[in-house]
Amino acid sequence: MNTSMHHYGAATTKICTNPVRSLCTNSVPNPFSMKGKYPNGLEGAMARANLSSVKLAELAGTSRQQINKLASGEREMTAIWAERLAPLLKVPPENLVFPNLRRSRVPLISWVSAGRAFQQEGVRKSDVKKYITTADLPKGEWYALEVDGDSMNLIAPEGSYIFVNRADQNLVNEGFYVFTIGAGETTFKRYRAAERGRPARLQPYSTNPDHETMIPTEQTLVFGRVGLVLNDLITRR
């Protein structure tokens, strides 16, 4: 590891790499959701809404037997059923499909704000552009950044959001990090540790060969480790 690289903080957070974030949760299972072949959150939602299977079936325009099969986990809680039943139970549809889902409200900041963070006492409220709600992030100090350019498009295409854990600044070989490389200048790169006489380096991860590897200097600081990429597959107009 290049000794000129500065580290701020020593907390290590396990980053889940599964694209389906709900599969990474370590939360205590909801007793209402662990029944049958297809466990879901319907029974718990019905109990909280004080709705019987007869009443919910009436409101949903289906049979009591159908609701009972869903609630018992005998039948799968598909997205279609979740969208149909959720408004009647006053819960988000994903609560019926993934009952143990935990949500995090993450501030979206600019790259400049991330770069300034080391010159002030962290990120200020005025730096926050908006908040993004996502699911099942590990504990940490999370910030979101919108990707501009194609230097990391193999993992994060332009326009996607990366979620950066500022509490996890320990460098791991081939991990993905946001670095500040000067006054207010920030970059998203893959870290490669020093090896065989080669120095540590910050590499692009792109289909575009024009992007070059960077060598960290004394001014290079670790903002945080990237733990999640969120990409809107709907074409932006």
Side-chain angles (χ1 to χ4, degrees), residues 59-141:
L59 293 173
T62 187
S63 67
R64 176 185 179 184
Q65 290 76 13
Q66 180 71 268
I67 296 298
N68 284 337
K69 287 181 180 180
L70 288 167
S72 67
E74 181 181 344
R75 178 158 295 178
E76 183 179 5
M77 176 60 68
T78 63
I80 293 175
W81 274 112
E83 294 283 353
R84 184 173 174 180
L85 299 175
L88 305 175
L89 297 163
K90 295 182 172 56
V91 297
E94 58 267 26
N95 281 21
L96 300 182
V97 182
F98 302 114
N100 298 321
L101 203 63
R102 295 181 293 110
R103 290 179 179 78
S104 300
R105 189 167 176 259
V106 180
L108 173 68
I109 61 175
S110 70
W111 291 89
V112 172
S113 297
R116 284 200 311 256
F118 292 103
Q119 301 164 10
Q120 59 192 30
E121 293 183 2
V123 175
R124 300 171 300 193
K125 282 188 177 181
S126 59
D127 294 323
V128 178
K129 300 167 70 174
K130 66 177 181 179
Y131 287 87
I132 302 173
T133 300
T134 188
D136 276 352
L137 287 174
K139 290 182 180 179
E141 184 183 351

Side-chain angles (χ1 to χ4, degrees), residues 109-176:
I109 61 175
S110 70
W111 291 89
V112 172
S113 297
R116 284 200 311 256
F118 292 103
Q119 301 164 10
Q120 59 192 30
E121 293 183 2
V123 175
R124 300 171 300 193
K125 282 188 177 181
S126 59
D127 294 323
V128 178
K129 300 167 70 174
K130 66 177 181 179
Y131 287 87
I132 302 173
T133 300
T134 188
D136 276 352
L137 287 174
K139 290 182 180 179
E141 184 183 351
W142 291 93
Y143 294 95
L145 296 164
E146 184 173 358
V147 175
D148 183 18
D150 64 355
S151 67
M152 298 294 288
N153 66 3
L154 285 173
I155 189 172
E158 183 171 19
S160 58
Y161 296 119
I162 57 172
F163 291 77
V164 187
N165 185 3
R166 198 176 175 202
D168 187 359
Q169 297 172 345
N170 291 332
L171 290 173
V172 176
N173 189 40
E174 297 191 357
F176 296 92

Side-chain angles (χ1 to χ4, degrees), residues 26-68:
N26 293 318
S27 56
V28 178
N30 183 337
F32 290 115
S33 68
M34 301 308 292
K35 288 184 175 182
K37 183 179 179 182
Y38 302 104
N40 60 70
L42 179 58
E43 189 174 66
M46 289 169 57
R48 290 187 290 273
N50 197 27
L51 281 180
S52 66
S53 58
V54 173
K55 184 62 177 176
L56 182 58
E58 179 184 335
L59 293 173
T62 187
S63 67
R64 176 185 179 184
Q65 290 76 13
Q66 180 71 268
I67 296 298
N68 284 337

